[in-house]
Amino acid sequence: MNAVTDLSFTTPGLYTHLAQMKPEDLDQLDFGVIGFDDATHVCRYNRFESEAAGLTALRVLGQPLFTNVAPCLNNFMVAQRFEDAHDDAAALDDTIDYVLTLRMRPIKVKLRLLAAPDSAVRYVLVQRKP
C-alpha cells in the first residue's frame, strides 16, 4: 500500500496532503495538480497535468495561471472563488463541473478548488476521467 497513490481526486482533507507532498509524489497522482501562489504564479505542477494539457513544467512554472497558463479559468467560476476565499480569509474546497477549451477540443472535467486561509499556495485539481 502506497500512501501517495491511495490519494484520489475526492480524498477528504486533500489540501493538507498536497501541501506536504514532494514534486515526485505529485507526479504519481492520477489527476492534474496545479498549485499557485498569492500572485497567481504557478509553483506546483504535476506530470499528469503536464501530459494531459500538453504543457511542460518548464513552460508553466513561474507563469501567471489565470492569464498566461489557463486564461479559460479566469472567470467567476474559478478565479473569482479563489479571490473571494482570500478576501474572506476562508477555506475553499469546491468541486465543479467544467469544460476546458484552451488549445484543445472542449473537454468535460471536474475541477476541485482548494485553498486554506493560512497558506500561500492554492490548488486547482483537474479530473479528466468520466
Side-chain angles (χ1 to χ4, degrees), residues 27-56:
D27 287 343
Q28 295 182 40
L29 298 173
D30 65 353
F31 53 89
V33 176
I34 306 169
F36 60 98
D37 63 18
D38 283 342
T40 76
H41 293 127
V42 177
C43 57
R44 307 197 81 193
Y45 189 69
N46 75 341
R47 180 179 306 136
F48 186 95
E49 185 59 26
S50 175
E51 292 173 359
L55 299 171
T56 66

Side-chain angles (χ1 to χ4, degrees), residues 10-90:
T10 59
T11 298
L14 188 55
Y15 183 91
T16 302
H17 295 285
L18 293 172
Q20 299 171 352
M21 293 174 72
K22 298 174 186 173
E24 57 269 21
D25 294 334
L26 290 177
D27 287 343
Q28 295 182 40
L29 298 173
D30 65 353
F31 53 89
V33 176
I34 306 169
F36 60 98
D37 63 18
D38 283 342
T40 76
H41 293 127
V42 177
C43 57
R44 307 197 81 193
Y45 189 69
N46 75 341
R47 180 179 306 136
F48 186 95
E49 185 59 26
S50 175
E51 292 173 359
L55 299 171
T56 66
L58 287 175
R59 183 173 172 185
V60 169
L61 290 171
Q63 296 297 313
L65 175 62
F66 298 116
T67 55
N68 289 11
V69 176
C72 63
L73 300 178
N74 192 7
N75 56 49
F76 73 98
M77 295 175 64
V78 181
Q80 189 63 50
R81 286 186 183 185
F82 284 107
E83 287 301 315
D84 291 347
H86 178 74
D87 292 347
D88 297 340

Side-chain angles (χ1 to χ4, degrees), residues 67-115:
T67 55
N68 289 11
V69 176
C72 63
L73 300 178
N74 192 7
N75 56 49
F76 73 98
M77 295 175 64
V78 181
Q80 189 63 50
R81 286 186 183 185
F82 284 107
E83 287 301 315
D84 291 347
H86 178 74
D87 292 347
D88 297 340
L92 174 65
D93 188 351
D94 286 340
T95 300
I96 62 172
D97 292 320
Y98 202 78
V99 178
L100 296 175
T101 57
L102 184 65
R103 290 180 304 219
M104 60 184 82
R105 64 179 170 76
I107 298 174
K108 292 181 180 179
V109 297
K110 287 194 179 296
L111 298 179
R112 187 170 175 189
L113 315 177
L114 298 173

